Amino acid sequence: MSSSRPTHVLIIGYVWPEPRSSAAGGHMMQIIESFLQEGWQITFSSPAGIGEHKADLAALGINEVTIELNNSSFDAFISELAPDIVLFDRFMMEEQFGWRVEKQCPNALRVLETSDLQSLRDARQQQLKSHLKHHPEQDDFSLLFAPSPVETFGHMADADLAQREIAAIYRCDLNLMISEYEIDLLVEQFHVPNSLLHWCPLMVDSAPAKFVPFEQRQHFLSIGNFRHAPNWDAVLWMKTHIWPLIRQQLPEAQLHIYGAYTPPKATALHNPKQGFYVLNWAEDALAVMSSARICLAPLRFGAGIKGKIADAMLCGTPNVTTPIGAEGMHGGMLWAGAIEQSASAIAAAAVELYQNSNAWHQAQQQGHALLKARYLKSSHGPALVQRIKDHRAVLEQHRRNNFIGAMLRHHHHKSTQYMSQWIEAKNRSNPV
């Protein structure tokens, strides 16, 4: 690599980033901004279609390239680009393109942006389905929310999704983890070396000192991409169990639910007579969050950390959530609202915070302290860049120390190469 050439990063995106549609899209843009601040050149590529809320990457000086799955044209593209760093956006992109990166650019640092542990989220979803099947009317989910790490490992370990995801983590040189809980799970239960993991949570530019006053706010708000299964489950739980309990005590209150890509099954829940409003995509999520008095985030399964809760703290809006929603977010600090484990307790806490200005202001200040202590970009952006530099400086030894990763790369890339060549040959002989 020429010493005069700037560091070049290739990002292989699962989707094109939509920072105003999902926390994952927002986190990707935060990572990109950290790279740009360092003066690194970025090419963003993806096999996905372009969504209606895609970020304007070109305006940031980022080259955009559409790529295809199972197409050898990617080999020529990446060989010519010769990136110094390749960042895979979620493990499926490493599965699809990792072997081609290895073949064409073996000395490029391989970074995986996990977004969250999808195998953890999936295991929890299956647990919830089983629980609801056997206890459809149960109000208290405390047992579901508090399994030991050993139990969680037991639910994940035999699943194909977990084995694929953990294998991809081993194959990469560095994995960006948004949640400290997930780091602990990987290290203690799956025995992934700490040297492969880097804590990179959601980042904010600053923690505002002034917020819209309590008296000028009204109603409850919930927000999140409807394509994300945990969000949809939370909407259903609010509709059937939580919101009716809140309305009993606050008959004039309204719940405003915003989400990108609103499906008909969600708009069918819209019922102004019940104060239940499904309002589609929010043009300015922070503006609607700032006007609400309480953010509801009753997540019964999921993984990672929650963008809606970080946005609530940024806007000075107390939230009411579950242990799943708060997981990995507060590091033992006081919470910015309430963490409850049943529909009745969530409703009671929401009503109390809605009516009690002292408790509301206390929750707001606790959220402000959390942001300052744990989520400032001025800390996490430079730390991420430095960790990448450190790994590049000792890449050969780092990979030698990760023998399991080298072994998995060898076998995975051989088998994937044969499969891809077979698919390409079949496509050539049977064109659409």
Side-chain angles (χ1 to χ4, degrees):
M1 181 181 70
S2 170
S3 59
S4 62
R5 172 187 144 157
T7 298
H8 202 134
V9 183
L10 170 64
I11 300 175
I12 303 177
Y14 178 65
V15 294
W16 296 93
E18 296 189 6
R20 294 192 296 171
S21 298
S22 71
H27 194 233
M28 176 56 72
M29 294 306 299
Q30 293 158 6
I31 292 170
I32 286 172
E33 288 161 9
S34 298
F35 292 169
L36 291 174
Q37 277 196 323
E38 190 62 20
W40 293 353
Q41 291 185 355
I42 300 174
T43 296
F44 196 103
S45 62
S46 178
I50 294 178
E52 57 185 295
H53 307 307
K54 171 186 167 293
D56 188 356
L57 300 177
L60 298 174
I62 296 170
N63 188 31
E64 300 179 6
V65 178
T66 298
I67 55 178
E68 295 182 14
L69 300 175
N70 299 309
N71 193 317
S72 58
S73 63
F74 181 84
D75 295 352
F77 157 67
I78 192 172
S79 178
E80 181 179 355
L81 189 67
D84 305 292
I85 301 160
V86 176
L87 187 149
F88 303 100
D89 174 25
R90 284 165 269 197
F91 81 91
M92 297 83 78
M93 293 298 96
E94 190 280 336
E95 284 186 327
Q96 291 288 339
F97 295 98
W99 70 273
R100 295 188 185 276
V101 171
E102 179 85 358
K103 182 175 69 170
Q104 301 298 331
C105 302
N107 296 321
L109 186 79
R110 301 156 59 95
V111 181
L112 175 59
E113 156 62 340
T114 60
S115 184
D116 59 31
L117 275 181
Q118 296 181 52
S119 52
L120 174 61
R121 186 203 319 154
D122 182 72
R124 286 173 166 169
Q125 184 174 13
Q126 302 313 313
Q127 288 176 265
L128 177 63
K129 287 180 178 178
S130 176
H131 184 89
L132 293 176
K133 181 179 179 180
H134 294 97
H135 311 283
E137 296 303 320
Q138 187 171 345
D139 180 59
D140 188 349
F141 290 85
S142 54
L143 292 178
L144 196 67
F145 290 150
S148 70
V150 174
E151 287 179 280
T152 300
F153 173 77
H155 288 296
M156 295 174 63
D158 294 333
D160 173 75
L161 189 63
Q163 293 174 10
R164 290 169 52 202
E165 187 168 29
I166 305 303
I169 286 172
Y170 267 107
R171 287 193 296 264
C172 288
D173 302 308
L174 189 64
N175 297 272
L176 309 187
M177 308 303 302
I178 204 166
S179 165
E180 292 164 309
Y181 174 86
E182 294 179 359
I183 292 177
D184 291 342
L185 185 67
L186 289 175
V187 171
E188 299 299 328
Q189 302 303 319
F190 291 93
H191 307 296
V192 175
N194 255 315
S195 60
L196 299 182
L197 308 174
H198 179 77
W199 180 46
C200 184
L202 299 173
M203 305 179 228
V204 298
D205 290 315
S206 62
K210 294 184 179 180
F211 304 107
V212 177
F214 176 87
E215 296 77 14
Q216 295 179 21
R217 297 172 181 245
Q218 60 179 345
H219 304 316
F220 296 81
L221 176 139
S222 187
I223 193 167
N225 191 325
F226 284 108
R227 289 178 176 174
H228 192 53
N231 291 338
W232 174 239
D233 176 74
V235 169
L236 292 177
W237 198 26
M238 286 187 288
K239 175 72 172 182
T240 57
H241 290 83
I242 297 170
W243 185 244
L245 295 174
I246 293 175
R247 281 277 285 191
Q248 286 176 10
Q249 300 181 67
L250 300 172
E252 301 303 316
Q254 298 175 10
L255 171 58
H256 298 164
I257 298 175
Y258 293 89
Y261 302 106
T262 310
K265 64 181 181 180
T267 54
L269 301 179
H270 180 77
N271 191 327
K273 289 184 178 179
Q274 297 174 352
F276 197 92
Y277 291 79
V278 179
L279 299 172
N280 301 316
W281 186 66
E283 182 71 30
D284 187 337
L286 297 183
V288 296
M289 183 70 79
S290 294
S291 67
R293 190 172 288 183
I294 303 293
C295 171
L296 293 179
L299 296 159
R300 293 192 289 188
F301 71 95
I305 62 176
K306 312 307 177 293
K308 61 178 69 64
I309 293 178
D311 284 348
M313 291 190 286
L314 190 64
C315 297
T317 306
N319 73 85
V320 182
T321 188
T322 64
I324 296 293
E327 181 181 273
M329 293 205 68
H330 55 104
M333 295 181 68
L334 294 174
W335 188 244
I339 304 169
E340 302 294 347
Q341 306 193 60
S342 67
S344 54
I346 289 170
V351 170
E352 171 64 16
L353 279 170
Y354 194 87
Q355 295 181 313
N356 186 332
S357 64
N358 290 333
W360 188 89
H361 282 105
Q362 182 64 35
Q364 183 183 77
Q365 290 307 307
Q366 289 165 189
H368 182 257
L370 263 174
L371 283 182
K372 289 180 64 177
R374 292 175 60 80
Y375 297 105
L376 292 184
K377 188 188 296 181
S378 57
S379 297
H380 291 292
L384 170 60
V385 168
Q386 188 59 52
R387 188 77 188 276
I388 289 174
K389 288 181 175 180
D390 291 345
H391 272 46
R392 289 190 69 205
V394 295
L395 183 57
E396 184 177 351
Q397 184 61 48
H398 177 66
R399 287 182 173 172
R400 186 176 297 121
N401 294 340
N402 179 23
F403 177 78
I404 292 176
M407 178 177 62
L408 289 170
R409 277 202 306 276
H410 173 78
H411 289 289
H412 175 263
H413 295 160
K414 287 291 184 184
S415 61
T416 307
Q417 179 179 1
Y418 296 146
M419 179 60 72
S420 182
Q421 290 171 345
W422 180 83
I423 292 173
E424 284 194 69
K426 185 178 180 182
N427 288 341
R428 285 194 297 268
S429 61
N430 297 289
V432 176

